Amino acid sequence: MIEFARNVRLWFAPEEVRQEGTTPDYRFSLANERTFLAWLRTALALIGGGFAVDQFLPDLRWGWRVGLALALLAAGVLCSLRAVNHWMRCERAMRRGEDLPVSRFPALLSVVVAVVAVAMVVVVLVGWEG
Amino acid sequence: MTEPARDPGLQPERTRLAWRRTTLSATVAAILAAKTALHGSTSAAGVLGCAACCALWLGFLLVANRRIRALAAADRPTALAPRQATGAVLCTIAIALCAAALVV
């Protein structure tokens, strides 16, 4: 948790990142940036999915509709927070010449998306006109 | 007369296009937000939510355009500044919060 707080401080302090280690090949930094953007797109897609559940399943019971939408929106928020945090960790690891950080977030997100998808199938089949 | 050295892997161009794709995703999210906000009867809260999402989308566009210009200007682009990354992420999170407010 302390590590996370330190990272959050670094999000807003670009100078401090540059003080560490050496500047890597700019192509590595750009690749890291593209990975960050890909995660951000995933987050935006999840947020769009939340809107879509709310808009395109109007016959669903209120609780299910709002629950599913909020689950997708929360996943989007988590995904974007993780995107910037992971980008920062990778950037620092590259500057220090360390191994890139490992993460169980992709597996976690896959499981959550799978669960939400199954819930949607069940809800659409059973809860329709609930 | 020597051409400026170009990266054969076209990394800056790919990064620029990644920003463009991400802006497009943000546009889709903002349009869905506007649709949700203005769906059915138009209320003051709906208009306010729609305006907030539009402003956030503009904020995202601003961050993306700045970065795209920086990528195009330099021969060897500098790494993304954490402030820009945080700005883009904060816009995304704020859109999600607007969405939550609009959905509930």
Side-chain angles (χ1 to χ4, degrees), chain A:
Chain A
M1 207 59 215
I2 295 166
E3 178 68 24
F4 183 74
R6 193 179 307 142
N7 280 340
V8 170
R9 203 168 47 77
L10 279 176
W11 296 355
F12 297 95
E15 303 79 16
E16 280 184 50
V17 182
R18 291 227 172 110
Q19 279 167 7
E20 284 183 62
T22 53
T23 305
D25 187 332
Y26 77 102
R27 287 171 294 186
F28 298 158
S29 292
L30 290 183
N32 191 19
E33 179 178 342
R34 287 198 297 278
T35 310
F36 160 69
L37 288 172
W39 278 109
L40 206 56
R41 280 198 296 282
T42 309
L44 283 164
L46 286 167
I47 291 168
F51 276 123
V53 164
D54 182 54
Q55 281 291 298
F56 300 117
L57 298 175
D59 298 333
L60 222 55
R61 229 180 307 171
W62 184 84
W64 275 106
R65 188 162 54 85
V66 170
L68 275 177
L70 285 184
L72 283 168
L73 290 172
V77 169
L78 271 182
C79 196
S80 53
L81 279 176
R82 187 267 179 187
V84 69
N85 194 43
H86 193 77
W87 169 79
M88 173 65 69
R89 285 171 70 199
C90 284
E91 201 72 14
R92 282 167 76 200
M94 285 196 297
R95 294 194 74 91
R96 292 172 180 164
E98 293 169 356
D99 286 342
L100 291 184
V102 290
S103 168
R104 61 174 77 86
F105 183 84
L108 211 72
L109 183 68
S110 311
V111 171
V112 168
V113 168
V115 166
V116 169
V118 169
M120 258 182 214
V121 169
V122 170
V123 159
V124 169
L125 287 180
V126 179
W128 201 264
E129 303 273 356

Side-chain angles (χ1 to χ4, degrees), chain B residues 13-46:
Chain B
E13 285 81 357
R14 278 157 61 192
T15 311
R16 175 168 58 80
L17 289 172
W19 274 104
R20 285 267 182 254
R21 283 199 297 280
T22 312
T23 313
L24 198 63
S25 301
T27 309
V28 171
I31 286 172
L32 282 169
K35 188 179 181 315
T36 306
L38 303 179
H39 191 67
S41 60
T42 314
S43 64

Side-chain angles (χ1 to χ4, degrees), chain B residues 3 10 28 37 46 49 56 58 73 84 96 98-99:
Chain B
E3 289 279 306
L10 295 178
V28 171
L56 290 167
L58 277 178
Q84 285 177 314
C98 279

Side-chain angles (χ1 to χ4, degrees), chain B residues 4-104:
Chain B
R6 286 194 72 76
D7 172 18
L10 295 178
Q11 304 266 355
E13 285 81 357
R14 278 157 61 192
T15 311
R16 175 168 58 80
L17 289 172
W19 274 104
R20 285 267 182 254
R21 283 199 297 280
T22 312
T23 313
L24 198 63
S25 301
T27 309
V28 171
I31 286 172
L32 282 169
K35 188 179 181 315
T36 306
L38 303 179
H39 191 67
S41 60
T42 314
S43 64
V47 173
L48 201 70
C50 183
C53 283
C54 287
L56 290 167
W57 176 74
L58 277 178
F60 196 98
L61 203 66
L62 192 79
V63 173
N65 266 4
R66 266 207 193 147
R67 181 61 185 152
I68 285 170
R69 240 178 299 142
L71 284 171
D75 193 28
R76 274 168 187 272
T78 50
L80 177 68
R83 210 174 284 139
Q84 285 177 314
T86 312
V89 164
L90 285 183
C91 281
T92 309
I93 290 171
I95 289 177
L97 292 182
C98 279
L102 287 170
V103 166
V104 176

